[in-house]
Amino acid sequence: MARRVTKAVLPVAGLGTRVLPGAKTTPKNLLNVVDRPILSYIVEEARAAGIEHFVFIVGRGQGAIEDYFDSIPEIEQALQAKGKLDILEDVRRDLPEPGQMSFIRQMAPLGLGHAVWCARHVVGDEPFAVMLPDMLMAATPPALSQAVAAYEQVGGNIVVVEPAPEGEAHKYGIVALDGQDGRLNRMVGMVEKPPPGTEPSNLFISGRYILQPDIFEILETQERGAGGEIQLTDGMANLMKTQAFHALEYEGTTYDCGDKIGLLRANVAFALARPDLADAARKAIAELL
Ligand code: UTP
């Protein structure tokens, strides 16, 4: 039986160029979607999938992420004293059990592959999840739970994918499949940002993975690829020479919150999906239109 996945690596050390200047002093994954940081939704998704340890790969100036997941007694005491118990409960919702989170400095943003490699000592010799926290996925069951279910079915390595918008496949990491039958298919290759017209499929790697720990040894010597960065995609392509990879086309909607309009879309969609806010949100949007 496949070994249970209990650790997730969350790389957040990128520069967030596409959402500057906002991301200059606030790590982009702490930007709000409605009233919670993007990371709050990602951690909730991970917990639902059975994750018990969260390994954040952070950069300089991102101490606010650790602070967000720590208790702040002044705020909690003030809310308690004022009887604002609903807000207190909301504030405490994201807190981990002590010891459930690790924070590792990447030291230089050399690429996603390098960021994942930084987690090797904490992950150790077991399969683990990687979650790109910019990619907010609205799905039932949650996207990582769908990936874990696929992993329990076929083992090996799982890459969550979805169709790229028409004519935009060259902007993403794209998978090549050994035939397509249903949503879970064996992969035969993958390529990061293929030149237009050379894409092996229209399915892009959308930000949730389950990987075997053998990836770490490969990433250790992985050369720089597209954009001069150490690419996770290149490392996975190497691992695929010896291990099975399956692409799971998950059911749900992805919002790329590392992009201005993606973040705006997420805010609108999540506000409209909130029973306590939907009516007011719809009215506000209608007025603006
Ligand atoms: P992105 O390329 O989407 O994020 O990386 P970025 O570099 O922050 O954004 P732009 O392109 O400059 O706007 C995907 C994820 O991988 C992390 C990022 O933080 C993001 O969550 N990442 C990327 C790292 O942790 N380290 C890196 O060296 C590169």
Side-chain angles (χ1 to χ4, degrees):
M1 209 181 81
R3 197 159 162 194
R4 211 160 76 78
V5 179
T6 61
K7 292 178 182 167
V9 176
L10 297 92
V12 293
L15 297 177
T17 330
R18 290 167 296 153
V19 284
L20 281 172
K24 201 169 132 190
T25 49
T26 303
K28 75 170 167 184
N29 298 294
L30 286 187
L31 297 174
N32 265 11
V33 168
V34 190
D35 54 359
R36 321 187 70 77
I38 298 163
L39 271 179
S40 160
Y41 298 92
I42 304 293
V43 166
E44 197 166 52
E45 179 190 331
R47 282 205 182 109
I51 297 300
E52 294 163 4
H53 197 97
F54 303 81
V55 188
F56 289 88
I57 311 299
V58 296
R60 272 181 297 284
Q62 293 189 325
I65 295 175
E66 277 179 67
D67 290 342
Y68 180 78
F69 289 105
D70 194 1
S71 160
I72 301 189
E74 296 89 314
I75 293 182
E76 293 181 26
Q77 279 158 16
L79 291 170
Q80 188 91 50
K82 289 181 182 157
K84 297 191 171 170
L85 301 184
D86 50 338
I87 305 182
L88 179 60
E89 196 186 315
D90 216 19
V91 164
R92 286 181 174 159
R93 194 171 101 190
D94 289 328
L95 295 181
E97 297 287 319
Q100 267 194 325
M101 287 188 173
S102 301
F103 296 85
I104 298 175
R105 286 280 183 116
Q106 190 184 2
M107 300 174 84
L110 297 181
L112 180 58
H114 180 260
V116 170
W117 176 72
C118 288
R120 65 200 181 282
H121 292 298
V122 177
V123 170
D125 190 25
E126 52 186 276
F128 63 103
V130 174
M131 305 176 79
L132 301 194
D134 326 22
M135 301 304 248
L136 189 51
M137 296 176 167
T140 312
L144 192 65
S145 302
Q146 295 183 35
V148 166
Y151 172 72
E152 283 167 355
Q153 195 184 327
V154 293
N157 300 268
I158 305 288
V159 176
V160 172
V161 299
E162 64 187 283
E166 187 72 31
E168 292 193 12
H170 63 278
K171 295 184 184 168
Y172 299 93
I174 298 291
V175 297
L177 301 178
D178 179 23
Q180 218 167 333
D181 180 15
R183 293 184 166 267
L184 184 62
N185 290 288
R186 178 96 184 219
M187 286 168 60
V188 291
M190 66 191 107
V191 53
E192 188 60 39
K193 299 187 178 61
T198 68
E199 305 89 347
S201 76
N202 75 332
L203 294 173
F204 77 95
I205 301 174
S206 58
R208 303 289 184 268
Y209 314 73
I210 294 187
L211 297 174
Q212 296 298 323
D214 313 73
I215 192 77
F216 293 126
E217 207 180 308
I218 290 174
L219 291 173
E220 175 128 20
T221 53
Q222 184 65 52
E223 310 230 318
R224 288 172 189 242
E229 296 194 338
I230 298 172
Q231 296 285 357
L232 180 61
T233 311
D234 295 341
M236 292 192 298
N238 275 329
L239 183 57
M240 200 190 288
K241 291 173 188 161
T242 54
Q243 289 191 11
F245 272 75
H246 282 82
L248 170 71
E249 196 180 331
Y250 93 109
E251 288 183 80
T253 308
T254 302
Y255 300 91
D256 180 359
C257 294
D259 168 84
K260 294 179 194 23
I261 298 299
L263 185 59
L264 176 66
R265 283 185 68 230
N267 268 288
V268 173
F270 277 67
L272 291 174
R274 278 262 299 259
D276 58 329
L277 295 175
D279 286 345
R282 196 168 289 113
K283 190 162 168 273
I285 294 163
E287 277 169 17
L288 287 171
L289 291 173

